[in-house]
Amino acid sequence: MVSNHTETSVVVIGGGVSGLTLATLLRKSGVACAVLERRDRAYVEVRQRAGVVEARAVRMFERWGLADKLLGGPVAQTIDYRVNGVGRIFNLGGDNAAQGRFCTQQMLVNNLLRELIDGMGGDVRFSVADVTIQNDGDGRPRVGYSDSQGSHAIVCDYIVGCDGDRGVSRASIPDGVLTSYSHEFGYAWLAALVEAPVTGHPIMGVSDHGFVAQLPRGPQRSRYYLQCALSDGPEDWPDTRIWDEIRLRLDDDRIENAVVHDKDFVPLRSVVHAPMQYRNLFLAGDAAHLVPPTGAKGMNLALYDVDVLAEALLSAVRDQNRTALDRYSDTVLPHIWTYQDFSVWMTDTMHDAGDPALHGEFRRRTARARLDTLFDSPAAAGLHTDYQRGVV
Ligand code: RFL
C-alpha cells in the first residue's frame, strides 16, 4: 500500500451540490482546493433530488460568471395550489421579477463536474474511504483518507464539510461544541419519479386524503410527492396504489398510470446545528441543516452557504484577512432560520389543511384560511413570492 502526503489550501469533504459549487467558485478564483467524495463519478452524476434553482441563487451564479454555463432556462412562475381538486393559480411573476431557473440538482451537479474537472482541471478525488480530520489547532489541519491506491494525507489551511447529514465532518467536532435544534413533523413523503410531464402548472395539492404534489423534472418526467406514514416503505406502495392515491388526492380520474422510475421515502424534519464552524473546519449545506422538502429550499440554502463561504475563504487565502471567515456562522444562520421558518410554514399549511386526522378540524380550518390569505391579500402574496424567490 502506498502512503502519500500532499498539500493544498482548502479540502472540501463531499462532492454533492454544495461541495462541487464551492470548489468551482474557489478554483475559478485561483484558490487551490481538493474535493474528497466517497462515491464514484457515475453515481454522483445520476443521483436525483431537487428541481429549481431559486432567483437568489441564479443571481449568485450570475455574480460569479457561471449562470449560463451551469443553469437551465427560466422556470414556471406559477404554482397551482389545489384543494380537493379545485385549483387556484398563484403567480410568482410580475414585471421585472427576478426569475428562478429550471435546473434539476442532477443537471447542476453534472454541469459543475464538467466545468470543474473537465473545464478547469479541478482536483476531485472519487471513491475515497475512511476520511479522518485533524483540526485540533495544533499546526495545520490535516485530512486523511484511503482509496484503491492506499492511504493518503492532505495538509491544508481550511477544511469544509459538505458531506451531508451523515458525513464525517460534523461528527469530527468534539461533543459540547455544537447545539442541535430539531423538529420532527411525524409524517413522511413518498417521492416518485414518473414518466409523465407536468402538463399544466406545478401542483401543490391539499386533500382530505393527504398531501400530493407534482413538480417538473424535465420535458418527459415529473416527480410526485405523496404524504405517507413514517413507517411506510416500498412494500406498502406498489405502483398501482401510487396512481390510485394521485387520482384520489387530485380528484381527477383522467390521470393515467405511467412508468414509476424510482420511489424514495423521506421523513419530514427540520434541523440546525450551530455554530457552523469549529477552528478551521466549516460546515455547509445538509451537513449543517436540514429542511423538509415542502419549501424546496435544501439545495438553495446549501448554495447560499457556499456563496458566503467562498467569499470568506477568498479573503482569508488571498488577503490573509480572516474576519469574514470567523463570522461565517453568524452571517449565514439568520438566513437559515428565516427559511427554516418558511419551510415549517409551508409544511404545516399544506398538511394541516388536508386530512383532519392529522391535527384536527380546528388546525385544518386555520391552515385553509392561511392559504386563502395568499390569494386575498397582496401583502401576503408579495411576502410568499419573496420567500419562493429566496430574497426575504
Ligand atoms: P449532498 O447533496 O447530500 O452531498 C453530500 C455529498 O457528500 C458525500 N459524502 C462523503 N464524501 C466523503 N466522505 C464521506 N464520509 C462522505 N459522506 C457523504 C456524499 O456521497 C454526497 O456526494 O449534500 P449538499 O451538498 O449539502 O446538498 C444538499 C442538497 O442535496 C439537499 O438539501 C437537497 O437535495 C434537498 N432537496 C431539495 N432542495 C431544494 O432546494 N429544492 C428541492 O426541490 C428539493 N427537493 C430535496 C428535494 C431532497 C430530497 N431528499 C432526497 C431528501 C427532494 C427530496 C426527495
Side-chain angles (χ1 to χ4, degrees), residues 16-19 21 49-54 56-57 105 108 162 164-165 189 217 225 266 269-271 276 284-306 335-336 339-340 342-344 347 387-388 390:
V17 71
S18 59
T21 302
R49 282 186 187 168
V52 173
V53 177
E54 66 184 12
R56 190 212 59 79
Q105 188 167 334
L108 178 56
C162 293
D165 185 40
W189 276 9
R217 291 293 183 266
Y225 293 108
V266 185
R269 53 198 300 254
S270 307
V271 188
M276 289 167 56
D286 283 9
H289 39 73
L290 297 175
V291 284
T294 333
K297 290 297 173 191
M299 172 181 72
N300 287 298
L301 290 180
L303 294 174
Y304 176 77
D305 291 347
V306 296
H335 184 85
I336 302 303
Y339 285 88
Q340 287 285 359
F342 170 67
S343 302
V344 169
T347 306
Y387 273 119
Q388 295 280 359

Side-chain angles (χ1 to χ4, degrees), residues 90-335:
F90 187 87
N91 198 337
L92 298 163
D95 294 341
N96 302 318
Q99 289 200 326
R101 297 263 202 115
F102 179 77
C103 189
T104 64
Q105 188 167 334
Q106 184 192 1
M107 281 163 60
L108 178 56
V109 162
N110 275 286
N111 293 345
L112 285 163
L113 287 171
R114 204 188 51 233
E115 185 63 18
L116 177 62
I117 302 177
D118 308 331
M120 301 196 279
D123 181 358
V124 184
R125 308 179 193 186
F126 293 99
S127 305
V128 308
D130 311 320
V131 173
T132 56
I133 292 171
Q134 201 174 309
N135 174 41
D136 50 18
D138 199 9
R140 291 176 80 195
R142 193 182 164 100
V143 179
Y145 69 96
S146 61
D147 62 14
S148 59
Q149 307 296 306
S151 56
H152 311 265
I154 312 179
V155 174
C156 58
D157 298 313
Y158 305 106
I159 304 168
V160 184
C162 293
D163 48 350
D165 185 40
R166 295 182 189 161
V168 293
S169 305
R170 196 180 70 243
S172 77
I173 297 175
D175 288 349
V177 174
L178 303 186
T179 304
S180 301
Y181 307 90
S182 65
H183 174 67
E184 306 290 335
F185 289 85
Y187 42 82
W189 276 9
L190 158 57
L193 184 67
V194 305
E195 194 67 18
V198 170
T199 49
H201 305 274
I203 298 169
M204 296 289 278
V206 165
S207 102
D208 294 350
H209 307 280
F211 175 79
V212 57
Q214 188 196 16
L215 303 175
R217 291 293 183 266
Q220 303 304 331
R221 293 181 175 185
S222 59
R223 198 181 279 282
Y224 276 100
Y225 293 108
L226 292 156
Q227 178 186 347
C228 65
L230 278 174
S231 55
D232 280 0
E235 62 289 352
D236 300 302
W237 286 87
D239 293 2
T240 47
R241 181 176 176 207
I242 291 180
W243 291 108
D244 288 345
E245 283 288 330
I246 289 170
R247 283 186 283 268
L248 179 69
R249 296 183 191 193
L250 291 176
D251 194 20
D252 188 348
D253 287 338
R254 293 164 307 168
I255 297 169
E256 292 179 6
N257 293 19
V259 173
V260 176
H261 290 288
D262 66 47
K263 301 172 202 174
D264 216 0
F265 291 83
V266 185
L268 268 62
R269 53 198 300 254
S270 307
V271 188
V272 176
H273 304 278
M276 289 167 56
Q277 61 195 85
Y278 174 63
R279 293 189 170 147
N280 288 313
L281 168 65
F282 302 85
L283 303 176
D286 283 9
H289 39 73
L290 297 175
V291 284
T294 333
K297 290 297 173 191
M299 172 181 72
N300 287 298
L301 290 180
L303 294 174
Y304 176 77
D305 291 347
V306 296
D307 184 18
V308 173
L309 194 50
E311 295 281 8
L313 284 166
L314 277 185
S315 287
V317 173
R318 279 204 310 219
D319 310 328
Q320 278 75 53
N321 180 349
R322 272 195 65 128
T323 310
L325 204 49
D326 290 337
R327 289 198 47 75
Y328 164 66
S329 183
D330 290 340
T331 303
V332 294
L333 277 171
H335 184 85

Side-chain angles (χ1 to χ4, degrees), residues 24-43:
T24 304
L25 303 183
L26 293 177
R27 178 87 188 170
K28 192 167 190 295
S29 311
V31 174
C33 142
V35 179
L36 301 179
E37 167 56 46
R38 73 179 163 143
R39 303 286 192 173
D40 62 25
R41 181 169 175 171
Y43 182 95

